[in-house]
Amino acid sequence: MIEKVSGLNSLKKLRVLSLGRNYIKSFAGMECLADTLEELWISYNLIEKLKGVNVLRNLRVLYMSNNLVKEWSEFNKLQSRSKRTDETSENIWLPSTMETRDPRVGALPTSWDNGGGSGQRKRGSGLPELSVAG
């Protein structure tokens, strides 16, 4: 299991990174992918704060359900990323246990990510995911 992201410096053209089902607590170590990373799949980890996600300027897809984020305000950090255009469709999947305050949020079917249906869910509520399109 991965606890800390490191050793990505040589992957300068990496566009998609999948780190689900680990023990990652932060976005530290991904700074070197700031200009290229487009998709980050980091569900089922131990992330509480979104500190550092704002450096990922090209990020279009962030899938981070079943983490430990408790405050809706943490997701405001996604708005501070410096490269955003109206042409870019952004998809953020969040656990539905968060209080929905944004009218752009809509629930996806519960079958979207059910942990394989074999009792593999280790963290999270098992409730449907939310999608935010920017």
Side-chain angles (χ1 to χ4, degrees):
M1 295 283 188
I2 300 170
E3 293 182 16
K4 184 177 175 183
V5 178
S6 63
L8 300 177
N9 292 332
S10 62
L11 305 173
K12 302 218 184 281
K13 295 184 180 183
L14 188 67
R15 293 177 38 210
V16 178
L17 181 59
S18 179
L19 294 169
R21 297 189 185 270
N22 284 289
Y23 295 116
I24 298 169
K25 295 180 180 179
S26 74
F27 292 91
M30 297 182 205
E31 300 84 5
C32 58
L33 303 174
D35 294 325
T36 59
L37 193 65
E38 295 177 6
E39 297 184 20
L40 178 58
W41 299 77
I42 195 162
S43 60
Y44 295 93
N45 276 284
L46 303 173
I47 297 172
E48 293 182 27
K49 306 275 183 192
L50 273 69
K51 181 181 178 184
V53 73
N54 58 333
V55 301
L56 303 172
R57 293 181 288 274
N58 284 324
L59 195 64
R60 294 182 306 118
V61 176
L62 174 61
Y63 185 79
M64 60 171 299
S65 69
N66 299 289
N67 275 280
L68 302 177
V69 179
K70 293 178 176 52
E71 299 291 326
W72 182 259
S73 61
E74 279 298 308
F75 296 99
N76 292 336
K77 294 176 182 173
L78 296 170
Q79 296 175 353
S80 66
R81 292 180 301 117
S82 61
K83 185 177 181 181
R84 289 186 55 142
T85 64
D86 292 337
E87 300 170 4
T88 303
S89 173
E90 296 180 353
N91 296 296
I92 318 292
W93 285 281
L94 311 172
S96 62
T97 56
M98 305 295 288
E99 182 180 341
T100 303
R101 294 184 183 184
D102 191 322
R104 299 175 296 166
V105 176
L108 294 174
T110 55
S111 62
W112 180 263
D113 178 12
N114 63 5
S118 60
Q120 295 176 11
R121 275 191 192 271
K122 295 178 184 174
R123 300 177 206 85
S125 64
L127 296 173
E129 309 304 321
L130 297 177
S131 174
V132 176

